Amino acid sequence: MATQTKEADFRTCPVTTLQVHRPAELLITANAVTAVVFLTVGGILALLLALTRWQAVHLLPADWFYTFLTAHGITMLVFWIVFFEVAGLYFGSSVLLNGRLVAPKVGWVAFGLMLAGALLAELMIFTGQADVMFTAYVPLKAHPLFYLGIILFAVGALVAVYLFFASVVVAKHERRHTGSLPLVTFGLVVAAIIAAFTLISGAITFIPAFFWSVGLLETYDPAAYRLLFWAFGHSAQQINLAAMVAIWYALATLTVGATPINEKLSRMAFLLYILFINLGSIHHLMVDPGLSVVYKITNTSYIMYLAVLGSMIHAYSIPAAVEVAQRAKGYSKGLFQWLWRAPWGEPGFSALVVSMVLFGFLGGVSGVIQGMMQLNMMIHNTIRVVGHFHATVVGGTTVAFMGLTYYIIPLIMRRDIISKGLARIQPYVYGSGLFLLIVGMMLSGDMGVPRRSWDIYATGGAFTTQFPAFTDVTLAMLGIGAIVAVIGGAMFVYLAVFSLLFGKDLRK
Amino acid sequence: MAQGEKTKRKIHAPGTLVLVFVFLAWFIALYVLQWSLLARGWPIR
C-alpha cells in the first residue's frame, strides 16, 4: 500500500483542472464498464419479461419467466447499480478531492470479490437453481452457491466502501483538499454510510440463509428473514437515492454552472436521509402479522416523512440553483425563460430533468402514497409497486447515472462521445419509454393486476381472476414502453461502449 | 456557494416556486384519487 502521494501517479484534467489519480482512474473504468455490462444483460431480460407481462403477447414460458425475473431483479437492483456506485465513490473520494485512492490493490480485491460473487449468483440463477426472485423469501430455497455469491458480492462492496472512507480521510490528512467536502462528495459520504448499514444487513440476512441451504441450520423463520431482508433490500435503494441526488447536484453544476443556493440546507437534507430513510423499509412488511400496526404506521407514515422532507429540499434546491444560474446568464425574462433557454441538447442536462421528473412526479409521489397503511392495503403486491420502484430506481437513479456517464467518458476515460446527435436524444427516448412503462404498471396495479405473475388470470386454476377491460390497454402501455425504453437503453450502451473503444482519444 | 463566501445572495427563483406548486397540485390530485379508489374498493355498507 502506498503511504505517500506520488505526484507521478497523477495527471491534470485539462477541462476541470482536477488532479486525477491514475490507479483510481483504472478502478473507476473497470467498475463502470462492468456496471454497463450488467445493465445490458438486465435490459435484455427486461424486454423479455415485459413482453410476457403484456398478456396479449405472453412471450416466455412460465419457468423461464421466473428464472429471468430473478435474474433481472438482482442484475439491475444490485449488480448494475452497485458497480456503478463503487465507480462513483472512487471518483468522489479521489478525483473530486484531488486526492488518491489509498489502496488500489485492495480496490482490485474488492472488484474481484464483487465480480466473482455476481457471476456465481448469475450462474446459479441461469441454470435454474435459484428461482427465488430478488427477495429470495424463505422458505423458497436456492442453491447454496447463490447465497455465497451474494455474500461475496456484499463483502467486496463493503471493502470498496471502506476504501472510499479511507481515501476521503487521507485526502484531508494530506491536505489534498482543504475546507468542507464538496457537496457531491458529501452526498456520496451519506450514500456510503447507508451502504455500510445495508451491506452488513445483507450479510446478517444471507449468511444464515447460506447455512440453512447447506443444512447446517434446520429452520429459518420466514418473518425474521423478511424483516432482515428489507434492512438490506430497501436500504440498498436508499444508497441509490443519496448517490442519485449527489449526481443531480453534479449534473446541475456541469451543465449550467449551478451552485447550491443554500449549501448548509442541502447538507442537512442529506443528513435527514441517514437518520430516517431506512425506517421506510417497513412498508414492505405492511401485511406481516408479526409486527404491530403502531410500529408499522409510526415508521412509514411519520418518521419516514422526515426523509421525504430531505427529498423535498433537494427537489426545490436543485431547480432553484439552475434557475439562479440561468438568470445570471441573462435568461431572466418572465417566469420560465431560464427553463426554455436551458441546454436541452446537452445529454447531462436532459438526463437531469428526465431523472428528476420521473423520480419526483411518479416515483416519489407514488411511494409516499402507497407507503401509507390504508392505501397500501389496496395496492400491496400489485404491479403498481413495481411501477413505483421502476420510477425511482430506473427513471431516477439509472437515468442520472447515464447522464453522468456522458462526462465520465471524456473526463476519466478520455474518449470523446462518438455520436453527439444520438447522445442528445438518448435521455428523451429512454425517458419516454420509461414513462409509458411506469404509468402502464401503475394503472394496471390500481386495477388489481398482481406483481410477479406469469398468468394474471390464473388460467386453469381452481379460481380464475377477472380484470377491467382497460387493463388490456395499460398492459400494452407497459409492453410498448418497455420496447421504447430498451431502445433508449441500447442507445446508451452503444454510445458508452463504442465511445470507449473507438471514440477520439482526447489524450492526443 | 463557494467556500468561505461571506456575502449573502438574494435568491430569486420565481419559476421554481411555480414548479413546486405544480408538483404540490399533482401530489394532491393523486392522493385524492387514491383515496377515492380505496373508498370504491372497500365500500361501507
Side-chain angles (χ1 to χ4, degrees):
Chain A
M1 183 191 300
T3 53
Q4 286 183 344
T5 305
K6 293 178 190 166
E7 291 306 322
D9 284 345
F10 288 86
R11 69 172 177 85
T12 304
C13 173
V15 180
T16 60
T17 70
L18 289 165
Q19 297 288 300
V20 181
H21 188 223
R22 292 175 196 277
E25 193 176 11
L26 282 175
L27 271 167
I28 293 167
T29 304
N31 279 282
V33 168
T34 308
V36 172
V37 171
F38 279 108
L39 177 70
T40 309
V41 173
I44 294 167
L45 295 170
L47 182 64
L48 299 173
L49 291 168
L51 293 180
T52 306
R53 291 308 314 255
W54 185 0
Q55 300 284 295
V57 179
H58 219 211
L59 183 67
L60 296 173
D63 51 348
W64 283 31
F65 173 77
Y66 290 108
T67 297
F68 287 3
L69 188 56
T70 306
H72 171 69
I74 291 176
T75 303
M76 292 302 227
L77 282 171
V78 182
F79 302 148
W80 139 247
I81 294 272
V82 176
F83 270 112
F84 196 92
E85 279 165 351
V86 168
L89 290 179
Y90 292 158
F91 178 75
S93 61
S94 62
V95 180
L96 287 182
L97 300 182
N98 287 315
R100 64 186 171 93
L101 200 65
V102 288
K105 283 179 186 168
V106 177
W108 286 108
V109 170
F111 177 75
L113 281 170
M114 288 169 64
L115 187 59
L119 292 177
L120 195 56
E122 296 278 19
L123 181 68
M124 291 301 106
I125 296 168
F126 280 111
T127 53
Q129 298 178 83
D131 289 341
V132 291
M133 310 288 104
F134 168 68
T135 43
Y137 277 156
V138 171
L140 286 176
K141 190 182 278 185
H143 191 283
L145 290 180
F146 168 78
Y147 300 108
L148 188 63
I150 300 289
I151 292 165
L152 283 177
F153 183 87
V155 170
L158 203 54
V159 172
V161 169
Y162 156 76
L163 263 188
F164 167 78
F165 284 124
S167 300
V168 170
V169 170
V170 168
K172 299 285 283 180
H173 179 71
E174 293 179 347
R175 305 190 68 77
R176 304 282 306 183
H177 179 83
T178 53
S180 304
L181 287 178
L183 187 58
V184 176
T185 304
F186 185 84
L188 292 174
V189 168
V190 169
I193 291 170
I194 299 172
F197 170 84
T198 302
L199 294 165
I200 291 167
S201 300
I204 292 170
T205 311
F206 284 105
I207 289 172
F210 172 72
F211 288 141
W212 170 69
S213 70
V214 294
L216 291 174
L217 203 64
E218 197 172 322
T219 57
Y220 193 172
D221 185 334
Y225 174 89
R226 282 198 297 273
L227 183 66
L228 292 171
F229 175 81
W230 285 114
F232 161 77
H234 202 83
S235 306
Q237 311 322 313
Q238 314 305 356
I239 309 169
N240 305 339
L241 171 69
M244 174 192 73
V245 174
I247 289 172
W248 283 352
Y249 280 105
L251 289 175
T253 302
L254 288 166
T255 53
V256 297
T259 53
I261 54 170
N262 187 331
E263 197 163 323
K264 280 183 185 167
L265 188 65
S266 297
R267 285 172 195 262
M268 195 198 78
F270 273 120
L271 289 179
L272 289 173
Y273 286 162
I274 295 181
L275 294 173
F276 303 114
I277 198 136
N278 282 350
L279 299 169
S281 304
I282 300 301
H283 66 237
H284 289 277
L285 307 171
M286 287 293 204
V287 296
D288 267 40
L291 304 170
S292 77
V293 171
V294 171
Y295 175 76
K296 293 173 191 171
I297 290 179
T298 303
N299 279 309
T300 58
S301 284
Y302 291 97
I303 297 173
M304 174 66 188
Y305 293 158
L306 292 168
V308 174
L309 175 66
S311 291
M312 293 290 99
I313 291 170
H314 295 305
Y316 177 77
S317 171
I318 295 169
V322 170
E323 181 174 356
V324 168
Q326 285 287 89
R327 285 182 183 276
K329 290 177 191 166
Y331 303 127
S332 55
K333 197 173 168 187
L335 278 175
F336 291 116
Q337 192 194 25
W338 63 275
L339 194 56
W340 311 138
R341 299 297 297 271
W344 293 99
E346 180 70 38
F349 184 80
S350 53
L352 169 67
V353 175
V354 169
S355 173
M356 289 193 77
V357 168
L358 291 180
F359 182 88
F361 281 78
L362 294 179
V365 165
S366 65
V368 169
I369 289 174
Q370 71 197 34
M372 178 184 287
M373 173 65 96
Q374 298 92 326
L375 294 172
N376 187 275
M377 294 301 100
M378 193 174 74
I379 54 82
H380 202 93
N381 271 340
T382 70
I383 199 170
R384 171 170 164 137
V385 177
V386 187
H388 158 72
F389 68 71
H390 276 78
T392 53
V393 180
V394 192
T397 307
T398 297
V399 173
F401 286 4
M402 286 176 171
L404 187 68
T405 303
Y406 291 116
Y407 294 92
I408 286 182
I409 289 172
L411 295 177
I412 298 294
M413 301 166 183
R414 286 180 286 172
R415 296 284 178 169
D416 204 9
I417 301 293
I418 51 165
S419 171
K420 294 199 170 57
L422 200 63
R424 263 194 284 277
I425 60 167
Q426 186 273 329
Y428 298 109
V429 175
Y430 192 59
S432 54
L434 286 177
F435 179 82
L436 272 179
L437 171 86
I438 293 161
V439 173
M441 284 177 167
M442 286 184 173
L443 291 175
S444 301
D446 276 337
M447 290 184 286
V449 173
R451 65 186 295 191
R452 293 177 165 174
S453 289
W454 175 73
D455 175 10
I456 62 171
Y457 307 109
T459 311
F463 300 97
T464 54
T465 321
Q466 299 296 319
F467 297 97
F470 189 55
T471 52
D472 293 339
V473 176
T474 56
L475 289 172
M477 278 173 74
L478 183 163
I480 293 165
I483 293 168
V484 177
V486 167
I487 290 170
M491 287 163 66
F492 170 77
V493 171
Y494 164 76
L495 285 164
V497 173
F498 279 72
S499 296
L500 195 60
L501 294 176
F502 307 114
K504 183 182 163 193
D505 191 343
L506 297 175
R507 286 169 292 193
K508 292 175 183 168
Chain B
M1 190 178 291
Q3 185 63 36
E5 191 175 330
K6 299 290 183 193
T7 52
K8 283 192 176 176
R9 290 183 299 176
K10 188 182 177 196
I11 300 161
H12 181 63
T16 301
L17 199 61
V18 172
L19 294 179
V20 166
F21 282 111
V22 168
F23 180 76
L24 184 64
W26 169 252
F27 176 76
I28 291 169
L30 278 193
Y31 190 76
V32 170
L33 176 70
Q34 291 299 313
W35 274 107
S36 160
L37 288 171
L38 180 66
R40 285 189 210 174
W42 299 85
I44 298 171
R45 300 186 192 283

